[in-house]
Amino acid sequence: MSPSILRLSSSLGWPAGLSAAIRLKQLCREKNSDLSVCVVEKGAEVGAHIISGNVFETRALDELIPQWRNEGAPIDVHVSSDKFWLLTKEHAFSLPSPFENKGNYVISLSQLVRWMATKAEELGVEIYPGFAASEVIYDRNDKVCGIRTNDMGIAKDGSKRETFQPGVDLKGRVTLLAEGCRGSISEKLIRDQKLREKGQGQHQTYALGIKEVWEVEEGKHKPGEVLHTIGWPLDRNTYGGSFLYHMKDRQISIGLVIALNYHNPYLSPFDEFQKFKHHPAIRKLLEGGTVLQYGARTLNEGGFQSIPYPVFPGGAIIGCSAGFLNVPKIKGTHTAMKSGKSSLFQAYAYMLTLNHICSPIR
């Protein structure tokens, strides 16, 4: 299978990967060209691994799909309040909020990427869920020319079952990696191509975010309310904090983020999260509620100085795979989308694919 352009994305990279795919198809229509754009997703369906509530800044979507408000986008809960607390074991002290979330929305990120996937398919993007990329493919000139999906039907002991099917090679002129934070293929490419040294980027640092989605009692639900905390249950030597976002339909997203450079070897992020949920100010909200989803993911914490040189021969690394998370704002979705649709990547991909047939993109 050889699409003109291969777009590679894993579940946590969906905003970046889909934005890139959508933008390329938009460029095809503008230039009256027909290129094949393919997205590979390791989950069983689009957004299968995304459970995070999200305080969403819309400017990247405004640029990508200006009419999203009239096209059924699942973005309708305005931020109604923005609180910032310092917690002790028994009390919560209100502090001035360092964030500016006025005009933003509280959304379900999984619902957003599912909607984006429908928009991509309407433009002709091919989306293949259920296929995990296992390695990149190089041509004879050591240029990346695609990816190979993982073998199917492998037993736990490594033997091949009767249902065994070898991985499929997906080749294209451009491969964009949008695997999310610390993607296995992306990290290998960064090392092999020395992209961090080339971009003079410092080493990346990481945090672990543990999160749950709850359905709470009607009287306790305040759509659009946003809360961030610092302090307890973490000590002064441990970097981290919590979030609590009121989505729609009586659902809230709650989580605790802890940097992975914590000094206490006995610290358990999961246990710290359980302590946090029992804080008097938090417990009263959750009492009588039901857990709907739970999970964890890593987060880039290095910031701008840790971004590697994102372009390699045959493609580029986008989204959180490259570390495009604005740490002070705790915002990564719109920056991932911007990296996917930006003129840098699109000009590179588009001009390379069309062999300079069309005029340059400005």
Side-chain angles (χ1 to χ4, degrees):
M1 181 177 182
S2 299
S4 297
I5 290 188
L6 172 65
R7 183 74 51 207
L8 170 62
S9 172
S10 77
S11 58
L12 296 178
W14 267 107
L18 284 173
S19 296
I22 289 171
R23 184 58 186 145
L24 271 175
K25 275 298 186 179
Q26 290 173 340
L27 289 172
C28 286
R29 291 192 173 186
E30 292 173 12
K31 299 296 182 179
N32 196 26
S33 177
D34 185 19
L35 303 176
S36 176
V37 180
C38 170
V39 178
V40 179
E41 158 62 24
K42 68 180 180 181
E45 61 178 350
V46 175
H49 296 284
I50 300 179
I51 68 168
S52 62
N54 188 286
V55 180
F56 184 61
E57 187 172 313
T58 65
R59 56 174 156 160
L61 188 60
D62 293 337
E63 298 168 3
L64 185 67
I65 308 177
Q67 302 301 319
W68 61 265
R69 291 175 177 84
N70 302 321
E71 297 188 17
I75 306 173
D76 46 28
V77 179
H78 286 271
V79 171
S80 58
S81 66
D82 194 4
K83 300 178 181 178
F84 188 54
W85 290 352
L86 169 64
L87 299 183
T88 64
K89 188 172 182 180
E90 299 293 336
H91 302 283
F93 298 94
S94 181
L95 300 176
S97 177
F99 312 110
E100 180 53 66
N101 284 312
K102 182 179 180 181
N104 293 336
Y105 294 79
V106 178
I107 67 168
S108 166
L109 191 57
S110 60
Q111 292 179 10
L112 175 62
V113 298
R114 289 188 182 102
W115 176 82
M116 290 179 65
T118 63
K119 295 289 129 183
E121 289 180 322
E122 289 174 3
L123 290 168
V125 176
E126 303 168 49
I127 299 178
Y128 299 107
F131 292 92
S134 62
E135 60 181 305
V136 296
I137 304 172
Y138 292 89
D139 63 15
R140 65 184 64 183
N141 297 317
D142 289 330
K143 170 186 167 184
V144 173
C145 62
I147 58 99
R148 178 171 294 124
T149 64
N150 61 317
D151 295 337
M152 309 291 284
I154 302 294
K156 290 183 178 180
D157 61 2
S159 61
K160 299 179 180 179
R161 297 176 177 173
E162 294 180 356
T163 58
F164 172 78
Q165 292 184 354
V168 178
D169 288 355
L170 297 174
K171 295 183 179 180
R173 298 187 184 181
V174 175
T175 301
L176 300 190
L177 302 177
E179 297 182 282
C181 176
R182 199 163 173 77
S184 56
I185 295 178
S186 303
E187 290 295 316
K188 188 175 188 304
L189 266 174
I190 289 173
R191 292 193 302 269
D192 293 349
Q193 301 285 338
K194 300 186 184 302
L195 299 181
R196 205 169 297 283
E197 293 83 352
K198 188 175 181 180
Q200 297 182 343
Q202 299 178 10
H203 65 280
Q204 185 60 265
T205 60
Y206 302 94
L208 177 67
I210 301 176
K211 57 189 69 176
E212 294 176 347
V213 175
W214 282 65
E215 184 178 81
V216 299
E217 296 176 344
E218 182 68 39
K220 300 177 180 179
H221 185 236
K222 301 176 182 178
E225 184 171 290
V226 171
L227 169 67
H228 293 94
T229 80
I230 56 173
W232 191 89
L234 304 180
D235 60 32
R236 295 183 179 181
N237 296 318
T238 305
Y239 173 66
S242 76
F243 62 87
L244 196 157
Y245 307 146
H246 288 248
M247 302 184 287
K248 61 182 181 180
D249 300 327
R250 294 195 293 121
Q251 293 183 9
I252 65 167
S253 178
I254 182 172
L256 179 68
V257 178
I258 301 178
L260 292 179
N261 65 345
Y262 54 81
H263 297 279
N264 180 5
Y266 299 102
L267 184 146
S268 165
F270 174 81
D271 291 331
E272 298 302 303
F273 182 44
Q274 304 313 309
K275 292 179 186 177
F276 166 71
K277 290 188 294 181
H278 283 82
H279 188 278
I282 306 298
R283 183 181 63 237
K284 64 182 181 181
L285 172 65
L286 301 180
E287 286 177 340
T290 304
V291 179
L292 302 179
Q293 295 176 306
Y294 58 89
R297 63 162 295 183
T298 52
L299 301 169
N300 304 113
E301 294 284 350
F304 179 79
Q305 64 269 23
S306 295
I307 297 174
Y309 189 77
V311 176
F312 54 83
I317 300 175
I318 60 178
C320 285
S321 289
F324 289 110
L325 172 67
N326 189 328
V327 180
K329 292 183 66 172
I330 318 181
K331 294 284 188 299
T333 303
H334 76 282
T335 52
M337 293 175 66
K338 274 184 168 290
S339 76
K341 62 167 287 297
S342 70
S343 59
L344 167 64
F345 298 124
Q346 298 312 318
Y348 174 81
Y350 196 68
M351 295 303 295
L352 179 62
T353 302
L354 298 187
N355 295 318
H356 302 272
I357 294 175
C358 298
S359 58
I361 303 168
R362 291 182 172 84

